[in-house]
Amino acid sequence: MTLPVAARPRRAPERRPPWAVSAAGLAVAAAAGGTAVALAPDAARSWVLGAVVAGGLCVVALVVTAAVLAGRLAAARSAAHREQAALHERISRSTGDTAHLVNVTLPQMVQRLRDGSDAYDALASAQRPADPQLESVLRIFTTELAEAARRTAAAEAARDDAVHQLGQGVADLERLSATALPAAVATLRRGASADTVLAALDMPGEGRLRVLLEQMVRELGVSERRAAAAQAASAKALGRVQARAVSMLADLRDMQDRHGADVFSDLLRLDHSTSQLGLLTDRLAILMGGRASRAWNKPIVMESILRGAVGRIADFRRVRLHSASTVAIAGFAAEGVMHLLAELMDNAANFSPPIDEVHVYVEERSAGIVVTIEDSGLRMSDAAMRRAVEAVSGKSTDLATLQGTRLGLAVVGILAAKYGISVNYRPSSRGGTGVVVLLPPQLLAQQRGPVPVTGRTLERPRTTQGSGQTATAVLEAPAPAALPAPAPDDRPALPPLPSRAAGAEGSDDAARAATPGGLPVRPPGRTMAAADRGRPAPEAADEPATPPARNPGASFGAFHQSQRRKDPRPPA
Amino acid sequence: MTRRPVDTGSPDRLYTVTGGRSHTADTTVFDLVTLVVSECDPTPGMQSEHVRILTLCRHPAAVVEIAAELRMPITVVRILLEDLLAAGRITARRPRAAAAAADLPESALLKEVLHGLRNL
């Protein structure tokens, strides 16, 4: 913007010089006085002359005065003109200064200050206006602008900082929730302590997040430890109950043999109650990660599996077994299969009318053994069926998914997942629900002979007398008859002591407990020490009780004995 | 935790063998020494104890013998035998002790035989 140029100075009017007017007046007055003197009578001429001279003097004085005054006036006027011009010049300079300030200096200052130079430097390098007020304006403006620029810069820095922190926090949070926490939880689940997890963890940089993560990990660690401790304690306690129940069952079986018919029905009732107790404790123990109460070391035929399962439920009289199958379930899986079938039969019996029967069919298929449990109770609703299928699928074996007291199906799921058994629900043709259990072929015992070797060798220790008869009986009928007849005076201690196994047996049995190379073979379910005791007695006798000092003779003897040990049938 | 010894017994409980029954309906049919003879061969799908009884009793066997072979209490064996008898798969016969005693030769005759043998 340009300011208007100052007004042009007024031109003085053209006038005749004052002295000309005065001279003309004086000439006119002198002419008039001469005329008057000439015209005057003589008499009066001297007076007239005097008067004219006097008048002329007066006129001259007047004119001179007027001239002086006019000169002064003119001087004053010229002085005023000069002043006016000076003022004009100042105004124009000031306007120029202002324009320069506004158009050049201030934008320059703004630019410099924006570029980051100091206010004083900018002021020093700027072209200062001459006007002190403008300079003051410039200084104030510059200072304020510098201050404003500083504040802006500070604010922007703060904002950038905040944005950076926010971004970092978001990234930390994402990393925390995406990787760090799941990894920590997984490690904690595996049983690591909170400190170990924290040491291995990629901690976020943000302090509060770190505190939060640490607290969480510690709390989670405590919870996991608590859960694990509770689980272990209950599994252990349940193990004792299971052992007691098993020994009660053995005692009851013994009493059933020894006592007559008068108490037989009572004993059977007790037996049934104890078996149901066993089902309950096994259910809890399996849920708690413990073991089943029993472990079979020989194949169990399907009929015994079904009977063992049905004997554990309350309403076993309502269950009808239809099995012509002669296959046997391998010993390691027998107890699990029995428990699984017992749970499913228990469910079927509980959810069907108390007068209806539950039918269990066994079919042999190439895919394995198919056990179908059909009840004629109420058809399960879709939601209940879905829940049941979900429970028996074994996908989530976490205790947190348990619903109330319905533990049976969860146990079925655990066992099915453990042994690769598939359990399917379908509506039954009898009106209720059918459960189809497919036992895969790897659970079946290989049927090479009547009874695998392990079952027979371990059968013997129970019978101290008449072992030959036992062996023939076992050979004739594999599993169900395997229960040895306890002598009335020799109550079989349960659990049977494996250490008694070796001594009374012949060398045949003992030789079977060792490889041809002389190494001991641990039969399933026995400790290595027990198996070692089962090895040929002569070796143990020949072994020196205390190793003698190393000498050539002893070394040769040891070599000789090691050669003798290779003989599968050492002299008794 | 120490490993528990394995079970060497049978998972069958006696009440599952008898189907929940604890005594026979008629206690007079089977004595301890009643002789049992099977009338038919075992068929598939039968209870394994029935199969074993039918196999055992191809020749007459007493109830106590069957019980000893099956390693089961007499009461249980009686229940099993009663089932088989009701199905007509076995016949039971009491040993006629009195008749047997009557058929024995006179003791005087026996003494004479003994005397003759010593004189040989």
Side-chain angles (χ1 to χ4, degrees):
Chain A
M1 186 177 79
T2 54
L3 291 179
V5 180
R8 208 183 300 168
R10 234 181 321 164
R11 187 172 291 177
E14 286 289 329
R15 290 186 195 168
R16 279 173 296 184
W19 55 270
V21 178
S22 309
L26 278 176
V28 169
T35 309
V37 169
L39 289 174
D42 295 338
R45 187 164 293 173
S46 61
W47 189 79
V48 169
L49 184 64
V52 167
V53 169
L57 285 173
C58 287
V59 168
V60 166
L62 273 171
V63 166
V64 167
T65 310
V68 167
L69 284 175
R72 282 188 188 169
L73 197 64
R77 216 174 65 183
S78 68
H81 273 296
R82 272 201 312 275
E83 196 175 347
Q84 193 184 14
L87 276 175
H88 269 296
E89 190 186 354
R90 269 180 61 192
I91 285 172
S92 66
R93 203 166 56 228
S94 164
T95 309
D97 270 358
T98 312
H100 186 265
L101 183 69
V102 167
N103 290 330
V104 179
T105 313
L106 287 187
Q108 267 182 8
M109 297 296 279
V110 168
Q111 190 58 41
R112 281 186 194 169
L113 288 173
R114 273 194 189 150
D115 288 348
S117 56
D118 193 20
Y120 293 105
D121 296 345
L123 269 181
S125 63
Q127 184 190 1
R128 298 208 177 186
D131 195 352
Q133 285 181 340
L134 279 182
E135 190 187 352
S136 158
V137 165
L138 177 63
R139 201 173 54 241
I140 292 172
F141 173 79
T142 307
T143 318
E144 284 297 321
L145 192 63
E147 179 70 20
R150 199 183 52 74
R151 277 193 212 134
T152 312
E156 278 182 357
R159 193 201 61 194
D160 287 350
D161 197 24
V163 167
H164 177 66
Q165 275 188 5
L166 190 65
Q168 208 172 11
V170 168
D172 272 352
L173 266 181
E174 276 179 358
R175 208 176 54 217
L176 196 67
S177 59
T179 59
L181 263 185
V185 170
T187 322
L188 280 175
R189 290 249 163 88
R190 283 199 295 272
S193 75
D195 287 329
T196 318
V197 173
L198 282 176
L201 208 56
D202 178 21
M203 291 298 257
E206 170 67 26
R208 275 161 294 189
L209 273 183
R210 203 180 311 142
V211 170
L212 178 71
L213 181 60
E214 195 170 330
Q215 276 184 354
M216 257 165 93
V217 166
R218 287 198 188 285
E219 282 298 318
L220 271 176
V222 169
S223 314
E224 287 290 333
R225 210 161 55 232
R226 191 181 296 134
Q231 215 165 327
S234 50
K236 212 160 215 174
L238 281 166
R240 289 184 189 153
V241 179
Q242 286 173 321
R244 195 55 59 89
V246 168
S247 85
M248 268 174 75
L249 282 177
D251 288 348
L252 281 168
R253 183 69 179 78
D254 187 29
M255 289 179 207
Q256 286 159 10
D257 280 330
R258 280 190 291 127
H259 296 295
D262 44 350
V263 291
F264 191 71
S265 63
D266 294 341
L267 287 176
L268 285 190
R269 212 167 48 239
L270 274 180
D271 199 337
H272 186 209
S273 306
T274 315
S275 293
Q276 292 179 65
L277 184 71
L279 181 73
L280 291 175
T281 50
D282 274 14
R283 181 186 292 164
L284 288 177
I286 290 172
L287 272 182
M288 290 299 161
R291 299 194 183 135
S293 58
R294 318 196 66 164
W296 308 101
N297 63 347
K298 61 187 176 193
I300 308 282
V301 290
M302 206 59 212
E303 184 189 32
S304 292
I305 293 273
L306 291 180
R307 279 197 210 149
V310 83
R312 300 176 190 194
I313 72 172
D315 277 339
F316 74 98
R317 287 184 184 83
R318 284 169 44 209
V319 181
R320 293 278 171 272
L321 306 176
H322 310 274
S323 164
S325 173
T326 56
V327 293
I329 303 288
F332 74 93
E335 180 62 29
V337 171
M338 251 186 271
H339 189 94
L340 185 144
L341 292 177
E343 293 284 1
L344 292 175
M345 287 180 196
D346 194 29
N347 253 15
N350 283 343
F351 291 102
S352 60
I355 49 167
D356 285 345
E357 292 179 339
V358 175
H359 291 267
V360 180
Y361 303 93
V362 177
E363 300 165 85
E364 293 180 30
R365 292 275 179 270
S366 57
I369 299 289
V370 180
V371 182
T372 314
I373 300 166
E374 290 198 331
D375 64 54
S376 46
L378 296 172
R379 206 175 279 266
M380 284 170 85
S381 70
D382 287 344
M385 187 88 91
R386 265 202 309 281
R387 270 204 303 276
V389 168
E390 176 75 19
V392 301
S393 69
K395 279 175 193 152
S396 61
T397 54
D398 198 352
L399 290 183
T401 58
L402 286 183
Q403 292 179 339
T405 55
R406 298 193 158 192
L407 310 176
L409 289 184
V411 174
V412 169
I414 293 173
L415 289 173
K418 182 175 176 186
Y419 294 111
I421 301 170
S422 95
V423 181
N424 287 298
Y425 277 85
R426 61 170 173 73
S428 163
S429 51
R430 296 173 180 275
T433 306
V435 192
V436 182
V437 181
L438 173 64
L439 308 174
Q442 61 262 29
L443 298 187
L444 307 183
Q446 294 176 351
Q447 294 180 318
R448 283 173 302 189
V451 169
V453 168
T454 52
R456 203 165 44 194
T457 50
L458 291 171
E459 195 56 41
R460 292 198 174 184
R462 290 286 302 272
T463 59
T464 52
Q465 299 151 359
S467 63
Q469 190 187 357
T470 308
T472 56
V474 169
L475 277 172
E476 279 174 18
L483 193 73
D489 54 346
D490 181 20
R491 183 180 299 191
L494 269 195
L497 291 176
S499 61
R500 223 188 277 171
E505 297 299 326
S507 62
D508 182 22
D509 197 6
R512 206 175 283 133
T515 62
L519 293 177
V521 173
R522 184 179 65 84
R526 297 299 165 98
T527 61
M528 197 67 212
D532 203 28
R533 276 198 293 274
R535 291 168 67 202
E539 294 172 14
D542 288 348
E543 292 282 342
T546 56
R550 179 173 283 274
N551 58 34
S555 301
F556 185 75
F559 175 70
H560 180 60
Q561 284 192 359
S562 71
Q563 289 301 307
R564 279 182 61 196
R565 206 175 291 167
K566 285 182 179 174
D567 184 6
R569 289 177 182 249
Chain B
M1 186 173 166
T2 58
R3 189 183 169 87
R4 282 192 299 273
V6 290
D7 286 285
T8 53
S10 162
D12 293 324
R13 308 308 300 176
L14 287 182
Y15 55 90
T16 60
V17 174
T18 64
R21 291 165 295 172
S22 57
H23 50 81
T24 49
D26 186 3
T27 53
T28 60
V29 179
F30 290 103
D31 200 350
L32 281 183
V33 290
T34 307
L35 287 177
V36 178
V37 188
S38 53
E39 295 289 326
C40 62
D41 280 335
T43 54
M46 284 176 84
Q47 203 176 338
S48 63
E49 286 79 13
H50 287 171
V51 172
R52 294 194 63 207
I53 290 173
L54 288 182
T55 316
L56 272 174
C57 298
R58 291 210 174 104
H59 302 292
V63 173
V64 270
E65 288 178 78
I66 298 171
E69 279 297 325
L70 292 183
R71 300 172 196 289
M72 283 187 178
I74 292 286
T75 319
V76 176
V77 174
R78 273 190 189 139
I79 294 169
L80 293 171
L81 289 173
E82 198 178 57
D83 289 344
L84 285 172
L85 188 65
R89 295 180 194 273
I90 55 166
T91 50
R93 190 168 63 80
R94 282 179 164 279
R96 286 181 297 179
D103 289 342
L104 285 180
E106 295 289 330
S107 59
L109 178 65
L110 288 176
K111 274 180 186 171
E112 271 183 36
V113 171
L114 185 65
H115 186 68
L117 284 174
R118 278 185 181 150
N119 288 337
L120 278 178

